[in-house]
Amino acid sequence: MKNYIKELRNKLKEYEIDGYVIPKNDDYFTEYSKLNRLEVISNFSGSAGLAIILKNKNYLFTDGRYTIQSKIESGKNFKIYGFEKLINCSLFKNLKLGIDPKLFTHTQIKNYFLKHNKIKYVEKNLIDEIKNQKENTSIPFFSLDKNIVGESINSKLNKISKYLKRNKSDYIFISAPENVAWTLNIRGGDGPNSPIPNSRLIVSKSKKILLISNLKKCKQLLKDKIIKKNEFLDVNTLPSKILNLKGKKFIIDDKSCSIFYENLIKSKFKIIKREDPIYLLKAIKNKTEIKNMINAHIIDGVALTKFLFWIKKINKRKITEVEAAKKLENFRKLNKNFLYPSFDTIAGSGKNGAIVHYRAKKEKCRTINRNDILLCDSGGQYNYGTTDVTRTICFSKQKHSIKNIFTKVLKGHIAVATTDINKDDTGKKIDKRARKFLNKSNLDYAHGTGHGVGFFLNVHEGPQSITKINTVKIREGMILSNEPGYYKTNEYGIRIENLVYVKKIKKNLLFQNLTMAPIEKDLINFDLLTINEKNYLFKYHLEVYSRISKYLNPKEKSWLATFI
């Protein structure tokens, strides 16, 4: 891979700055993007990171999921820190740092840099000047019928209108594409692993809309009369059009509204900063969305179970991590409703399993050894649903110590699944349940226990999550992952992940499993499980069998029956 650092340093002189800041996100602030400027400059391929290139030093900041990966990919040329080090960081004291104002929010700049540094807005993106990554702008947006999403556009606009009136505002600027997708019941092809329609949306309190995007992408929506001609705004004509709007107040969400767009709006309007209400509206799935997600997970469970049955015979064949990931994708492709993976499959064997978000590459990956344990984290986008599941697999008898740790992770997983949400009603409370059994042995993991999941959208969404700090109330209809783990550097990784949704039974809120695939029994020390935990496993595997066995061949079905 070409080293572009020298070329960027020449740009520092040209633009009279001491350093340049490169975030992972694109100008839509999506987690996964077809553009990856951070990887271009640093070789770091993780989903969260930020690099700073100075005249004689390079820094990379990321989070606990990528501690090992960042050192492998970028340690040669970069000094690596956790994100926490970046808050009001004094490493760059009195330096003038250049940023692209379309890639940062005012809040980010305030938290990261303004205490010790000067910031210069550089209108041209310096990474693009060095290596321009072509973005496919021709994939058209498409609409989803109310029968698929369960709620009409007008119903959603009513909710937004009421929110604007409550907050005494004239407009909201919806800057996150996934929230535009939810509002207008549309999808697109702008994400590498999710049907994101790169666009922004203005909604007025009188329910008038302006969809801001590229004309090529919106032609089908115009043709199908999903939007009218006067409801479309070409992204290149936005500055002049926005100044013609009548009104006084605009709501923006500064987690995804860039400095560029905030400055543009506030040149005429008073800005009110709020969290975009659509995050919460979107997080609470309706009955139709839940039904579609259940169906997607049955399809996905069949593919994963077929894969597990196939790969458990590893002693009879030699395969690499890349070949394993490809085989799993091929099993998913057997179903006509499968579109593409919901993220790049993580298939880490042995020591690679300890790299939380490991990505196997053909030219550099391990052949899976029968003495290894394999951590396989994968998911699919289906018509219509999004899946995400992790299974840790073994192929031979494992050490007692490994089985004990796997069982403690499993106990945490079961503790989350059986949560009384009326009592433990936030992610922060539930996270403690997941870590309890590991913590008793002074063990832990450096990632959250769970994240929200979109309906035929992003595999990661908020505002809900199961982490040490999240205080968002868990509500009926929310979908989350349940994925405690443990990682021993240079040895192995363990993670068990199901997706769950929140269901109300009488007056009780409970988690219901969406994921339908067996959990590795050969890694369990059953002596460490309580009767209730054993009963949970029995009932879970009985449900898996009842839902997917009819789609399996006789040998697969017989193998799955051994889990009951």
Side-chain angles (χ1 to χ4, degrees):
M1 187 173 184
K2 186 176 178 182
N3 189 328
Y4 292 100
I5 294 172
K6 187 177 179 181
E7 291 180 52
L8 180 57
R9 286 198 170 127
N10 290 333
K11 296 283 182 185
L12 302 185
K13 298 173 188 175
E14 183 182 339
Y15 285 90
E16 298 180 335
I17 50 179
D18 300 307
Y20 190 66
V21 188
I22 307 102
K24 167 65 178 69
N25 59 275
D26 62 8
D27 58 347
Y28 288 95
F29 291 83
T30 50
E31 180 181 19
Y32 298 107
S33 170
K34 290 179 180 177
L35 298 178
N36 196 335
R37 299 178 178 100
L38 181 61
E39 188 171 12
V40 167
I41 200 67
S42 70
N43 197 44
F44 174 63
S45 62
S47 65
L50 179 146
I52 300 177
I53 308 297
L54 304 180
K55 291 174 182 176
N56 54 12
K57 288 181 182 177
N58 310 314
Y59 295 89
L60 176 67
F61 298 85
T62 185
D63 63 35
R65 294 172 296 170
Y66 297 111
T67 304
I68 300 172
Q69 181 180 332
S70 58
K71 289 175 182 175
I72 293 170
E73 294 180 340
S74 309
K76 185 179 176 182
N77 295 312
F78 285 78
K79 182 74 174 174
I80 297 168
Y81 292 106
F83 273 129
E84 66 280 357
K85 182 75 172 178
L86 190 56
I87 305 298
N88 285 322
C89 183
S90 59
L91 285 170
F92 318 108
K93 198 170 184 179
N94 300 323
L95 297 181
K96 185 191 287 185
L97 300 177
I99 68 156
D100 181 341
K102 290 184 177 179
L103 303 183
F104 288 90
T105 68
H106 277 296
T107 300
Q108 285 176 322
I109 296 302
K110 181 182 177 183
N111 288 343
Y112 292 167
F113 303 117
L114 289 186
K115 185 174 180 181
H116 299 291
N117 321 104
K118 296 175 183 177
I119 293 296
K120 180 178 180 179
Y121 298 156
V122 181
E123 298 302 329
K124 290 183 179 179
N125 188 282
L126 301 191
I127 303 301
D128 291 349
E129 291 210 320
I130 294 166
K131 184 186 179 183
N132 191 23
Q133 301 174 83
K134 290 184 179 179
E135 185 181 9
N136 187 346
T137 58
S138 62
I139 301 173
F141 297 166
F142 57 96
S143 62
L144 300 180
D145 192 85
K146 181 190 170 184
N147 294 331
I148 293 166
V149 295
E151 186 176 4
S152 69
I153 298 170
N154 191 53
S155 171
K156 293 177 177 182
L157 290 176
N158 279 335
K159 291 176 181 177
I160 295 168
S161 173
K162 287 177 183 176
Y163 175 84
L164 287 169
K165 289 172 183 175
R166 278 199 310 272
N167 285 272
K168 298 179 181 178
S169 187
D170 301 296
Y171 303 96
I172 183 169
F173 183 62
I174 301 168
S175 43
E178 63 268 30
N179 291 353
V180 178
W182 179 88
T183 304
L184 298 183
N185 290 340
I186 62 173
R187 301 294 188 268
D190 293 319
N193 298 102
S194 57
I196 288 296
N198 274 355
S199 54
R200 299 176 180 90
L201 183 69
I202 295 172
V203 179
S204 76
K205 64 183 178 183
S206 60
K207 299 194 292 183
K208 290 180 180 177
I209 64 168
L210 276 175
L211 178 63
I212 304 156
S213 191
N214 174 292
L215 182 57
K216 279 185 181 178
K217 295 180 182 180
C218 296
K219 272 187 175 178
Q220 194 61 44
L221 298 183
L222 289 161
K223 185 179 177 182
D224 295 340
K225 297 182 180 178
I226 303 301
I227 59 169
K228 299 170 186 172
K229 195 173 181 181
N230 65 355
E231 293 175 334
F232 169 75
L233 187 56
D234 190 282
V235 67
N236 297 313
T237 62
L238 175 63
S240 59
K241 292 284 185 180
I242 206 166
L243 297 177
N244 293 332
L245 294 173
K246 294 179 181 178
K248 294 181 180 179
K249 296 179 182 177
F250 244 98
I251 288 177
I252 69 165
D253 185 332
D254 70 348
K255 290 196 304 301
S256 59
C257 182
S258 68
I259 292 167
F260 174 86
Y261 282 106
E262 183 176 338
N263 287 348
L264 175 63
I265 293 167
K266 77 178 181 184
S267 66
K268 179 177 177 180
F269 300 92
K270 182 181 178 182
I271 295 282
I272 301 171
K273 293 188 179 183
R274 297 277 190 277
E275 179 169 87
D276 186 339
I278 294 166
Y279 284 113
L280 184 56
L281 292 171
K282 177 164 57 68
I284 300 171
K285 274 58 177 180
N286 58 49
K287 289 180 181 178
T288 302
E289 290 172 315
I290 294 293
K291 179 186 172 185
N292 282 318
M293 287 289 273
I294 288 170
N295 290 336
H297 279 82
I298 290 171
I299 295 167
D300 199 62
V302 172
L304 182 58
T305 301
K306 284 177 174 289
F307 168 77
L308 293 172
F309 174 76
W310 172 84
I311 202 168
K312 283 287 281 184
K313 301 182 184 302
I314 199 162
N315 57 328
K316 296 180 182 178
R317 63 175 75 89
K318 286 188 176 181
I319 60 167
T320 67
E321 295 163 330
V322 168
E323 288 168 339
K326 190 67 180 172
K327 185 69 174 180
L328 175 52
E329 186 174 339
N330 287 339
F331 276 121
R332 286 191 166 108
K333 284 179 178 177
L334 292 175
N335 191 284
K336 64 181 181 180
N337 288 308
F338 174 73
L339 299 172
Y340 43 81
S342 56
F343 55 94
D344 292 337
T345 296
I346 299 164
S349 63
K351 66 178 183 179
N352 288 342
I355 303 170
V356 179
H357 276 195
Y358 171 73
R359 295 289 187 272
K361 295 178 182 177
K362 191 174 182 180
E363 65 277 7
K364 191 180 179 183
C365 70
R366 296 181 83 243
T367 296
I368 302 169
N369 189 298
R370 73 180 304 270
N371 295 320
D372 290 336
I373 57 175
L374 172 70
L375 188 155
C376 186
D377 187 347
S378 68
Q381 295 286 3
Y382 292 87
N383 288 323
Y384 294 95
T386 303
T387 72
D388 180 7
V389 52
T390 307
R391 289 295 181 263
T392 306
I393 313 150
C394 69
F395 313 101
S396 61
K397 191 173 181 179
Q398 294 294 313
K399 291 188 293 187
H400 206 61
S401 59
I402 291 176
K403 291 179 74 171
N404 285 350
I405 290 173
F406 180 91
T407 307
K408 288 171 185 176
V409 171
L410 175 61
K411 287 168 76 73
H413 176 90
I414 295 171
V416 171
T418 56
T419 298
D420 177 355
I421 303 171
N422 288 37
K423 179 183 174 185
D424 294 321
D425 60 353
T426 65
K428 184 177 181 178
K429 292 176 183 177
I430 299 168
D431 189 78
K432 290 178 182 177
R433 293 172 60 84
R435 299 176 195 271
K436 176 182 175 182
F437 305 98
L438 287 167
N439 288 170
K440 283 180 179 177
S441 303
N442 294 316
L443 304 175
D444 205 350
Y445 47 96
H447 59 75
T449 299
H451 54 82
V453 179
F455 167 70
F456 189 40
L457 265 175
N458 289 338
V459 76
H460 293 158
E461 71 169 32
Q464 79 280 16
S465 65
I466 304 173
T467 69
K468 293 178 179 180
I469 60 172
N470 193 288
T471 56
V472 173
K473 194 170 182 179
I474 304 298
R475 305 188 191 193
E476 182 182 8
M478 285 183 169
I479 295 175
L480 295 114
S481 67
N482 169 13
E483 51 180 312
Y486 180 74
Y487 312 89
K488 190 167 185 180
T489 304
N490 290 323
E491 292 197 31
Y492 60 85
I494 293 168
R495 186 160 67 250
I496 305 167
E497 176 187 18
N498 279 7
L499 296 193
V500 296
Y501 72 96
V502 182
K503 185 176 182 179
K504 183 178 276 189
I505 301 175
K506 294 181 179 178
K507 291 184 179 180
N508 296 320
L509 289 179
L510 303 167
F511 284 131
Q512 298 284 304
N513 279 301
L514 285 166
T515 303
M516 290 290 125
I519 295 169
E520 177 63 274
K521 63 180 179 180
D522 294 332
L523 281 171
I524 301 173
N525 179 354
F526 284 92
D527 292 339
L528 296 182
L529 297 181
T530 65
I531 292 173
N532 286 340
E533 289 165 341
K534 289 175 183 176
N535 286 339
Y536 169 87
L537 269 183
F538 170 78
K539 288 176 182 176
Y540 174 69
H541 284 124
L542 184 62
E543 184 182 10
V544 171
Y545 186 86
S546 67
R547 291 211 177 209
I548 72 170
S549 61
K550 62 184 175 182
Y551 304 107
L552 304 176
N553 67 38
K555 287 184 179 179
E556 293 163 344
K557 189 185 292 188
S558 181
W559 174 75
L560 182 59
T562 65
F563 287 83
I564 301 172

